Amino acid sequence: FSGRTRALGAMAGVVCAWLRNDLRLHDSPVLHRAAALAKEKGIPALPVYVIDPRLFQRTRRGTWKMGPFRALFLLQSLRVLRRRLRKVGSNLLVKVGRPEEVLPSLLGDGSYLLTQQEVTSEELAVDGGVREALGGRVVWEYCWGSTLFHKDDLPFRPDLSDAP
């Protein structure tokens, strides 16, 4: 991974590895694909985590989406991931804000955005907002990593409609 970023403005021609729930380095499909694509295209990889303020709001039932212990665990996990990325010559850019506002400001035309394919309605709504904000000027690529087995390795239809 190449971890150099410009202080201000969007980076043209970058492979952005937008990390969300999988913050491990050794088996991250997003980070491994980003590294391979960056090498193939001859452009830098930019691992990014966006701390979305919506994660710290109350649900409609009045409970916190993220309590203090989970928030502490998240911050510790980000610190460990950043340290591990630095050991391999990269870094982790951590930004605070809504991904649909933060990510487009980082990515110039001709960039790639890789992220883990999520399945919940809230995460899919954020994906839709990011895609809309990017306006098709960035190549979007999903990586599967939400299950123990890759969905393509299971004996079911691609949409898993025939899974038990």
Side-chain angles (χ1 to χ4, degrees), residues 38-54:
K39 184 176 182 179
E40 173 189 323
K41 300 291 182 184
I43 57 178
L46 177 65
V48 176
Y49 186 89
V50 181
I51 298 174
D52 190 335
R54 292 172 289 201

Side-chain angles (χ1 to χ4, degrees), residues 110-161:
S111 292
Y112 296 79
L113 191 147
L114 280 60
T115 192
Q116 183 168 303
Q117 185 174 0
E118 301 295 348
V119 295
T120 67
S121 60
E122 279 187 29
E123 290 164 327
L124 293 174
V126 171
D127 286 4
V130 172
R131 281 178 178 248
E132 184 178 324
L134 290 170
R137 60 185 178 83
V138 170
V139 177
W140 182 285
E141 185 177 321
Y142 277 124
C143 300
W144 185 259
S146 297
T147 55
L148 180 60
F149 297 103
H150 194 285
K151 66 180 183 173
D152 293 345
D153 294 335
L154 299 174
F156 306 114
R157 293 185 180 134
D159 65 358
L160 302 177
S161 61

Side-chain angles (χ1 to χ4, degrees), residues 21-104:
N21 294 317
D22 183 359
L23 299 178
R24 296 182 314 266
L25 175 60
H26 71 282
D27 65 348
S28 168
V30 173
L31 288 171
H32 288 274
R33 174 67 181 138
L37 185 59
K39 184 176 182 179
E40 173 189 323
K41 300 291 182 184
I43 57 178
L46 177 65
V48 176
Y49 186 89
V50 181
I51 298 174
D52 190 335
R54 292 172 289 201
L55 294 175
F56 300 93
Q57 296 176 344
R58 290 188 180 270
T59 67
R60 61 186 167 159
R61 302 220 191 295
T63 59
W64 292 106
K65 285 186 177 185
M66 183 178 300
F69 295 114
R70 184 172 170 211
L72 178 62
F73 178 73
L74 171 62
L75 293 175
Q76 291 170 336
S77 298
L78 291 170
R79 187 175 58 209
V80 168
L81 179 59
R82 177 178 275 163
R83 186 172 50 240
R84 289 182 178 163
L85 283 167
R86 285 178 176 168
K87 283 183 180 179
V88 297
S90 186
N91 207 340
L92 177 65
L93 178 63
V94 178
K95 302 286 275 182
V96 177
R98 292 176 175 240
E100 55 271 37
E101 296 167 359
V102 171
L103 293 170

